[in-house]
Amino acid sequence: MSKEIQQIIEKLNAFAPGEKAVLATVVDLVGSGYRRPGARMLIDAEGYAVGTVSGGCLEADVLERAKKVLETGEPFVITYDTTKDENSLFGLGMGCRGVVRILLERFEKENILARALEFPFRERRRQFIGTVISSNRAATGGRIFYNEIERFRFENLTDEPEIFDGLKKNCLEFFASGEFSKVFRYESGNDSFEMFFENVNPPLKLLLFGAGYDALPLVRIAKELGWRVTAIDHRPAFANAERLPEADEIIVSDAENLGEDLFADENSVAVVMTHNYERDLRILPRLLRSKCLYVGALGPKKRTEKLLSETGENFSADELAKLYAPVGLDIGADTPEGIALAIAAEILAILKSREGGFLRNRKGSIYGTSE
């Protein structure tokens, strides 16, 4: 889950009863664009916006069009095409060569979509959302929802849209794949149906072992990225809300006393920076056998190799593959802030299956897979 969605939910929860807004969602992009499908912007009745759907070039036009949606309550999809002339679109001068489609719809505090967007944050489970973006039969903005607790739910769609064979099957397959977003097209006779699929995952959880001075900037950067932070340290003088006001959870404990639930979150990463060899020796094996997607350990490579040998345990290739030590990208960082930046950047690179190199050396799209 992006920080943007979290901010939209926070804004929405502060609405008064009956207060309405407009939600703009990027539902398709062909070619280049600043924001990817799934990017959102919430626009209230006063024209104040949270989030963004472009690099700033489309927002003024979207804000103007949102007024009509707020009045009529009718959702619609806008298409911005700059593939022929980047300066031809309403004088916006987007500077990108792509076709962007944005869904505008009225949005209220109490609706199914709002609850669905909040679900991954509340339950720490994935939520699937399928949205009609074009059809000669169904209403634009009609939806199908799925998660493992509530199963299928529908909004402005028949419970069984049988004319589009395989829709439910596609939803389940897409949900299981973990893919972020995709547009599916269905045809049956004279009927056509285009739906934007997306998976909304829980915000990444950072398990930070060690609450020393160098941990503080990592907490701040993680929160800027929209991650949830759990800070763990055995010293109450270090692990407290006064020193770590931005942390979502603070645990004062030795590693051996931590419950198994802490290590069972499939949307988590861990960074070990206790600066204590014996404590690292106790925590590292638990992290390697945990559900964590990434484990970073501060300190020289030889230190970590010695730690692994002294655990007396045999780790699988998959368990060792998620260990990064020394932690962080090689950017020449030599201050707590720089090291924190290198660590956060490495985590992003690993989760996105990237090498962390220079974008100017990348072949192909900066968002897709390299050629």
Side-chain angles (χ1 to χ4, degrees):
M1 173 185 284
S2 67
K3 183 178 181 180
E4 181 175 83
I5 292 180
Q6 296 177 51
Q7 291 174 326
I8 287 172
I9 293 299
E10 289 174 5
K11 173 73 172 177
L12 194 66
N13 287 338
F15 274 16
E19 188 173 353
K20 296 177 175 60
V22 172
L23 184 68
T25 304
V26 178
V27 294
D28 193 20
L29 172 63
V30 178
S32 62
Y34 183 77
R35 298 303 310 275
R36 310 300 295 168
R40 287 180 164 88
M41 179 170 68
L42 183 70
I43 307 154
D44 67 16
E46 303 300 320
Y48 177 80
V50 175
T52 179
V53 291
S54 76
C57 44
L58 297 180
E59 273 67 12
D61 189 68
V62 171
L63 287 170
E64 189 62 31
R65 291 167 180 261
K67 295 176 183 178
K68 180 179 179 181
V69 177
L70 198 61
E71 292 174 0
T72 66
E74 294 295 323
F76 67 91
V77 174
I78 321 168
T79 299
Y80 297 98
D81 187 347
T82 61
T83 55
K84 296 180 180 180
D85 182 356
E86 64 182 23
N87 293 315
S88 64
L89 182 63
F90 307 112
L92 296 174
M94 289 176 64
C96 297
R97 296 284 187 173
V99 179
V100 185
R101 288 196 285 173
I102 299 175
L103 169 66
L104 294 182
E105 59 189 317
R106 199 153 70 181
F107 201 52
E108 302 175 36
K109 187 174 183 177
E110 296 297 331
N111 63 32
I112 298 177
L113 178 59
R115 293 196 298 272
L117 290 175
E118 194 173 19
F119 176 87
F121 188 84
R122 185 180 66 252
E123 301 291 340
R124 293 205 59 77
R125 290 171 178 257
R126 178 178 298 161
Q127 172 73 57
F128 165 83
I129 304 172
T131 305
V132 176
I133 56 176
S134 72
S135 174
N136 65 351
R137 177 177 177 130
T140 298
R143 286 192 169 91
I144 180 170
F145 300 91
Y146 177 83
N147 62 58
E148 292 175 321
I149 296 178
E150 299 163 326
R151 311 300 288 180
F152 281 103
R153 291 177 298 158
F154 299 85
E155 182 182 37
N156 296 328
L157 286 176
T158 60
D159 287 351
E160 296 291 340
E162 295 175 354
I163 63 168
F164 302 104
D165 293 335
L167 175 58
K168 278 190 172 181
K169 181 174 180 287
N170 289 157
C171 293
L172 291 172
E173 289 174 345
F174 184 84
F175 177 84
S177 75
E179 189 176 355
F180 183 67
S181 66
K182 188 174 182 179
V183 174
F184 281 74
R185 295 172 177 85
Y186 301 88
E187 293 184 1
S188 179
N190 294 325
D191 294 316
S192 62
F193 195 88
E194 194 175 26
M195 183 167 275
F196 170 60
F197 280 17
E198 61 180 324
N199 280 318
V200 182
N201 289 312
L204 188 69
K205 177 182 283 189
L206 169 64
L207 304 178
L208 180 55
F209 291 87
Y213 179 76
D214 55 348
L216 305 183
L218 182 54
V219 173
R220 292 194 294 268
I221 290 174
K223 293 305 297 178
E224 280 295 319
L225 293 169
W227 301 353
R228 290 185 61 83
V229 177
T230 296
I232 306 105
D233 199 298
H234 70 288
R235 302 164 294 183
F238 284 75
N240 59 72
E242 184 177 355
R243 291 190 71 250
L244 302 165
E246 295 175 296
D248 298 282
E249 182 181 23
I250 299 172
I251 300 175
V252 181
S253 175
D254 291 309
E256 56 268 30
N257 296 325
L258 295 168
E260 287 300 320
D261 288 350
L262 186 69
F263 302 89
D265 195 316
E266 296 181 351
N267 288 283
S268 65
V269 297
V271 174
V272 180
M273 46 199 319
T274 70
H275 300 280
N276 184 290
Y277 188 87
E278 293 300 322
R279 295 189 182 281
D280 288 0
L281 186 61
R282 293 194 292 271
I283 192 57
L284 200 56
R286 296 194 71 180
L287 289 174
L288 292 179
R289 299 199 187 285
S290 73
K291 296 288 187 179
C292 287
L293 303 169
Y294 162 102
V295 178
L298 203 65
K301 183 182 295 185
K302 288 185 177 180
R303 178 182 185 272
T304 304
E305 291 173 349
K306 184 180 178 182
L307 279 168
L308 292 174
S309 67
E310 290 189 8
T311 63
E313 300 185 37
N314 293 318
F315 300 101
S316 70
D318 287 342
E319 289 168 343
L320 292 174
K322 65 183 181 182
L323 175 60
Y324 288 80
V327 66
L329 293 183
D330 181 11
I331 59 173
D334 57 4
T335 65
E337 293 77 13
I339 293 169
L341 178 63
I343 293 171
E346 180 176 70
I347 293 171
L348 283 175
I350 296 306
L351 297 183
K352 295 288 188 179
S353 300
R354 295 299 186 89
E355 294 295 325
F358 299 114
L359 280 176
R360 72 175 185 179
N361 295 335
R362 183 175 178 79
K363 296 180 180 179
S365 168
I366 66 173
Y367 293 109
T369 57
S370 58
E371 298 176 352

